[in-house]
Amino acid sequence: RADGANAVHHRYNPDGSYGGNNLIQRSLTLAADANSFTSTLAVQILDLNGTVVSEVCPTEVGVRMNL
């Protein structure tokens, strides 16, 4: 099963002033047995003017814990 989510993360500088946004797009795939998932992200880091200053593409993996 595949799904996705988008988010905007507002960044602030150490002095409390507004620093810009991070735009996050996430694609998540749940395994057929629902016990694990994989995810890829596309993150754009924007300055105060909305200009992309950096991009990163992290990945995630997760496994269900049985306690």
Side-chain angles (χ1 to χ4, degrees):
R1 178 176 175 204
D3 205 345
N6 296 325
V8 176
H9 173 249
H10 304 284
R11 286 191 331 275
Y12 293 88
N13 298 314
D15 67 2
S17 63
Y18 183 64
N21 290 325
N22 296 344
L23 303 180
I24 304 162
Q25 295 178 316
R26 183 179 188 202
S27 298
L28 186 128
T29 302
L30 183 64
D33 65 3
N35 286 320
S36 63
F37 76 92
T38 59
S39 178
T40 58
L41 294 93
V43 180
Q44 292 182 318
I45 300 168
L46 285 64
D47 66 12
L48 291 173
N49 298 316
T51 303
V52 176
V53 295
S54 184
E55 293 181 301
V56 295
C57 296
T59 59
E60 301 173 302
V61 295
V63 178
R64 184 183 304 271
M65 292 177 55
N66 295 314
L67 302 176

